[in-house]
Amino acid sequence: DADLPRVGGGYTMRYEIRGDGEIVVEGSYRPGTGTLAMMPRFGMELVVSPGLEKMSWFGRGPAETYVDRQFERVGVYSSSVSDEWVDYSRPQENGNKTDVRWVALTNDAGVGLLAEGMPLLSVAARHVTKDDIEKASYSFELPRRPETYLNLDLAQMGVGGIDSWSRNAYPMERYRIPPDRQQSYKYRIRPLSNGPPAP
């Protein structure tokens, strides 16, 4: 349990570690009484060891999707962490996948990890930190870190953008994550030795 003193709320994380190497992770947020802006995302970021470059997922794809941009079909897709970076004119949040049942990061031998939503996740993987993205004006200024920064989220707010000069630039109300509502989600992680699950 962790208190969030500036807002009067709290956050709890639980880990259930099983004998077969599987870990069930649960994150829960309880709001306080303070006034907060909408949450950009509710989830967790894992720092994954270098070498797990192959990325497969069962969810929407192959292009990036967001809760208000879910135009892609649900299926099983394969790519690499590097290839999932979307090169916008200015570095920003990108490469997200919605409605993800599972995501696997593996090396060339099929060894790695699998994260499974309980039931669904919003997922992104990249070789840069959020801080790297904020500091860079252009993609060529970004470092390429050997580790992978893997977001396993319950949700990320929508992209919005009906226009860029009014409140309509924000995501529509139904695509926001309200900070005054309790949030909770679970996923499980397990080791892989023979590559991702068969479709």
Side-chain angles (χ1 to χ4, degrees), residues 11 13 15 25 27 41-49 81 85 92-94 96 103 105 113 115 121-134 145 147-156 185 187 189:
Y11 189 80
M13 285 195 64
Y15 298 92
V25 182
R41 67 178 357 126
F42 179 75
M44 300 177 209
E45 183 177 74
L46 279 65
V47 182
V48 180
S49 296
V81 174
W85 177 262
Q92 59 189 280
E93 182 64 42
N94 71 78
N96 192 68
V103 59
L105 296 179
L113 65 87
L121 295 169
S122 179
V123 172
R126 55 184 65 95
H127 288 297
V128 293
T129 67
K130 307 286 187 292
D131 195 44
D132 293 335
I133 294 170
E134 286 295 317
R145 299 186 184 275
E147 61 274 11
T148 295
Y149 297 85
L150 176 65
N151 271 97
L152 299 173
D153 301 327
L154 172 66
Q156 185 177 159
Y185 82 123
Y187 60 89
I189 300 175

Side-chain angles (χ1 to χ4, degrees), residues 38-135:
M38 68 184 100
M39 288 186 191
R41 67 178 357 126
F42 179 75
M44 300 177 209
E45 183 177 74
L46 279 65
V47 182
V48 180
S49 296
L52 304 185
E53 179 64 16
K54 294 180 179 290
M55 179 178 173
S56 301
W57 70 96
F58 180 14
R60 292 191 183 275
E64 64 178 351
T65 52
Y66 296 86
V67 69
D68 59 351
R69 302 285 195 279
Q70 298 193 105
F71 306 121
E72 300 291 312
R73 292 178 182 261
V74 172
V76 176
Y77 300 96
S78 294
S79 184
S80 69
V81 174
S82 297
D83 286 345
E84 286 308 302
W85 177 262
V86 180
D87 201 11
Y88 290 111
S89 59
R90 179 180 169 90
Q92 59 189 280
E93 182 64 42
N94 71 78
N96 192 68
K97 314 295 182 193
T98 57
D99 291 341
V100 174
R101 280 74 170 161
W102 56 256
V103 59
L105 296 179
T106 58
N107 63 16
D108 290 338
V111 175
L113 65 87
L114 178 81
E116 297 174 278
M118 299 173 73
L120 300 173
L121 295 169
S122 179
V123 172
R126 55 184 65 95
H127 288 297
V128 293
T129 67
K130 307 286 187 292
D131 195 44
D132 293 335
I133 294 170
E134 286 295 317
K135 290 179 179 175

